[in-house]
Amino acid sequence: MVDCVFCKIAAKEIQSKIAYEDEEVVAFHDINPQAPIHVLIIPRKHIASLNEATEEDQSLLGKMMLVAQRLAKGLGVAEDGYRLVLNTNRGAGQSVFHIHLHLLGGRPFRWPPG
Ligand code: AMP
Ligand code: ZN
């Protein structure tokens, strides 16, 4: 197995505050939240970034979006609005190379992002 912090979170080898999990996807609260709600949605499958995803991952990527939508509703931010962010590679701010969708909510967000 790759030495990957998010694979270890999915395997419960590293502790996290899990918000949702099933056989394919895990969602947990970000350790350094950038908003009142900041949850990371990851596949259990190790995919380093969106650049490494393939056709085979199509339904998994779609599922991550729908899990984010359900969490946003459950955490009470769906109506006011929330932001999904998927940083890809260092230039975009990716620091953990296991694909993850940020769900941010609970405060206003500006556009364009920084
Ligand atoms: P990114 O910069 O898009 O790669 O996002 C990585 C995110 O993972 C950051 O927001 C970190 O705060 C978060 N993070 C890193 N390690 C952990 C951890 N052990 N538990 C929860 N979140 C983490
Ligand atoms: Zn991984």
Side-chain angles (χ1 to χ4, degrees):
M1 188 175 121
V2 215
D3 187 25
C4 166
V5 62
F6 286 0
C7 281
K8 288 180 178 165
I9 284 177
K12 307 235 172 75
E13 289 165 18
I14 290 178
Q15 203 225 316
S16 71
K17 203 173 151 207
I18 290 184
Y20 173 81
E21 66 179 319
D22 63 26
E23 65 286 348
E24 290 178 314
V25 168
V26 181
F28 52 95
H29 293 269
D30 197 291
I31 205 167
N32 182 24
Q34 301 302 311
I37 300 292
H38 189 172
V39 174
L40 302 175
I41 298 110
I42 66 166
R44 288 189 187 275
K45 177 183 177 183
H46 181 86
I47 302 169
S49 83
L50 189 58
N51 285 341
E52 281 72 40
T54 68
E55 290 287 318
E56 189 187 289
D57 302 315
Q58 185 163 307
S59 67
L60 186 56
L61 295 171
K63 180 167 181 177
M64 287 164 64
M65 301 278 281
L66 290 178
V67 166
Q69 179 230 62
R70 254 185 280 133
L71 281 165
K73 288 180 179 173
L75 293 166
V77 296
E79 196 152 323
D80 276 354
Y82 56 94
R83 183 168 289 180
L84 300 182
V85 174
L86 203 166
N87 295 324
T88 301
N89 272 353
R90 296 209 188 271
Q94 185 176 5
S95 62
V96 177
F97 286 81
H98 179 131
I99 195 169
H100 51 280
L101 195 56
H102 295 257
L103 163 61
L104 297 146
R107 67 166 170 86
F109 294 95
R110 284 193 295 268
W111 194 262

